[in-house]
Amino acid sequence: MPKAQLRTAVYPGSFDPITNGHLDVIERACRLFDRVIVAVAHNEQKAALLSIDERMQLISSVTSHLKAVEVATFDGLLVEFARNSGASTLIRGLRAVSDFEYEFQMALMNRRLAPEIETLFLTPSEETSFLSSRLVKEIARLGGEISPFVPPPVSKTLKTLFATRRKKYPRTRNPRTITRRK
Ligand code: PNS
């Protein structure tokens, strides 16, 4: 089928790193669209753990079983990227009520900017709906087990990265307790 006739969706995000929750949303989107572009946003205001290339490589490796998936990066407005990609829809995962306000605001603003592009919210599975890249990074940084929350290549990358950092910058402060004598 020519690319112009394919039903194309863009799934944008920071993906720093991709989690099982993101993967769940991508798999759901692949059941609805012929072409799903997972688009890693360049965001200079947000300090990232992984480079754009590392994030794209990881997404590409964990979605290799999904033929509809393409991995891209974009700079600038999301709706411009979607238009230039021939996408009719933006996909966002909605995990909980706490996501709603931000997502609603973004969806309405994107609609103002590009009325022809719809935002579609997909609900991830209950097993993944508590996950976030931020929490995964925090757990990995503190030496916790992240393998239940991210695909194996992501777990391996984060473990290696933080193990190297811990070796280079060992923790100097020990937890302390003040005991009061009675
Ligand atoms: O995974 P995130 O960090 O919640 O994703 C946010 C993202 C990348 C989707 C959002 O920041 C975005 O769309 N950035 C591109 C710039 C843009 O179009 N801004 C206007 C949004 S209304």
Side-chain angles (χ1 to χ4, degrees), residues 20 23 57 83 94 121 161:
N20 288 344
L23 192 54
Q57 287 294 337
R83 265 187 189 137
L94 204 53
F121 293 112
L161 202 148

PDB file of all heavy atoms in Angstrom, residues 20 23 57 83 94 121 161:
ATOM      1  N   ASN A  20       7.779  -1.001  30.030  1.00  0.00           N
ATOM      2  CA  ASN A  20       6.765  -1.983  29.593  1.00  0.00           C
ATOM      3  C   ASN A  20       5.416  -1.302  29.354  1.00  0.00           C
ATOM      4  O   ASN A  20       4.605  -1.794  28.578  1.00  0.00           O
ATOM      5  CB  ASN A  20       6.601  -3.083  30.652  1.00  0.00           C
ATOM      6  CG  ASN A  20       7.800  -4.002  30.686  1.00  0.00           C
ATOM      7  OD1 ASN A  20       8.605  -4.009  29.755  1.00  0.00           O
ATOM      8  ND2 ASN A  20       7.948  -4.774  31.759  1.00  0.00           N
ATOM      9  N   LEU A  23       5.545   0.088  25.877  1.00  0.00           N
ATOM     10  CA  LEU A  23       5.480  -1.030  24.927  1.00  0.00           C
ATOM     11  C   LEU A  23       4.049  -1.552  24.798  1.00  0.00           C
ATOM     12  O   LEU A  23       3.578  -1.865  23.696  1.00  0.00           O
ATOM     13  CB  LEU A  23       6.436  -2.140  25.394  1.00  0.00           C
ATOM     14  CG  LEU A  23       6.720  -3.249  24.411  1.00  0.00           C
ATOM     15  CD1 LEU A  23       7.208  -2.717  23.070  1.00  0.00           C
ATOM     16  CD2 LEU A  23       7.765  -4.208  24.987  1.00  0.00           C
ATOM     17  N   GLN A  57      17.594   3.472  19.691  1.00  0.00           N
ATOM     18  CA  GLN A  57      18.110   2.099  19.537  1.00  0.00           C
ATOM     19  C   GLN A  57      17.321   1.124  20.397  1.00  0.00           C
ATOM     20  O   GLN A  57      16.948   0.042  19.963  1.00  0.00           O
ATOM     21  CB  GLN A  57      19.588   2.027  19.967  1.00  0.00           C
ATOM     22  CG  GLN A  57      20.565   2.651  19.011  1.00  0.00           C
ATOM     23  CD  GLN A  57      20.625   1.893  17.693  1.00  0.00           C
ATOM     24  OE1 GLN A  57      20.283   0.717  17.642  1.00  0.00           O
ATOM     25  NE2 GLN A  57      21.018   2.568  16.633  1.00  0.00           N
ATOM     26  N   ARG A  83       2.055  16.064  10.796  1.00  0.00           N
ATOM     27  CA  ARG A  83       1.611  16.465   9.438  1.00  0.00           C
ATOM     28  C   ARG A  83       2.604  15.991   8.393  1.00  0.00           C
ATOM     29  O   ARG A  83       2.226  15.372   7.405  1.00  0.00           O
ATOM     30  CB  ARG A  83       1.552  17.992   9.351  1.00  0.00           C
ATOM     31  CG  ARG A  83       0.196  18.551   9.628  1.00  0.00           C
ATOM     32  CD  ARG A  83       0.207  20.049   9.349  1.00  0.00           C
ATOM     33  NE  ARG A  83      -1.033  20.633   9.827  1.00  0.00           N
ATOM     34  CZ  ARG A  83      -1.108  21.775  10.481  1.00  0.00           C
ATOM     35  NH1 ARG A  83      -0.025  22.472  10.751  1.00  0.00           N
ATOM     36  NH2 ARG A  83      -2.280  22.233  10.865  1.00  0.00           N
ATOM     37  N   LEU A  94      -2.824   6.953  28.764  1.00  0.00           N
ATOM     38  CA  LEU A  94      -3.435   7.614  29.923  1.00  0.00           C
ATOM     39  C   LEU A  94      -3.469   6.590  31.051  1.00  0.00           C
ATOM     40  O   LEU A  94      -4.194   5.613  30.987  1.00  0.00           O
ATOM     41  CB  LEU A  94      -4.850   8.058  29.540  1.00  0.00           C
ATOM     42  CG  LEU A  94      -5.479   9.213  30.300  1.00  0.00           C
ATOM     43  CD1 LEU A  94      -4.585  10.437  30.312  1.00  0.00           C
ATOM     44  CD2 LEU A  94      -6.823   9.561  29.675  1.00  0.00           C
ATOM     45  N   PHE A 121      -6.346   8.547  23.205  1.00  0.00           N
ATOM     46  CA  PHE A 121      -5.766   8.065  24.462  1.00  0.00           C
ATOM     47  C   PHE A 121      -5.968   6.563  24.574  1.00  0.00           C
ATOM     48  O   PHE A 121      -7.085   6.079  24.398  1.00  0.00           O
ATOM     49  CB  PHE A 121      -6.425   8.759  25.658  1.00  0.00           C
ATOM     50  CG  PHE A 121      -6.126  10.227  25.727  1.00  0.00           C
ATOM     51  CD1 PHE A 121      -7.116  11.167  25.510  1.00  0.00           C
ATOM     52  CD2 PHE A 121      -4.835  10.668  25.989  1.00  0.00           C
ATOM     53  CE1 PHE A 121      -6.832  12.527  25.556  1.00  0.00           C
ATOM     54  CE2 PHE A 121      -4.534  12.030  26.033  1.00  0.00           C
ATOM     55  CZ  PHE A 121      -5.545  12.952  25.822  1.00  0.00           C
ATOM     56  N   LEU A 161      24.871   1.288  33.180  1.00  0.00           N
ATOM     57  CA  LEU A 161      25.128   2.723  33.327  1.00  0.00           C
ATOM     58  C   LEU A 161      25.279   3.132  34.791  1.00  0.00           C
ATOM     59  O   LEU A 161      26.224   3.815  35.176  1.00  0.00           O
ATOM     60  CB  LEU A 161      23.944   3.455  32.686  1.00  0.00           C
ATOM     61  CG  LEU A 161      24.148   4.869  32.235  1.00  0.00           C
ATOM     62  CD1 LEU A 161      23.266   5.111  31.010  1.00  0.00           C
ATOM     63  CD2 LEU A 161      23.761   5.851  33.290  1.00  0.00           C
TER      64      LEU A 161
END
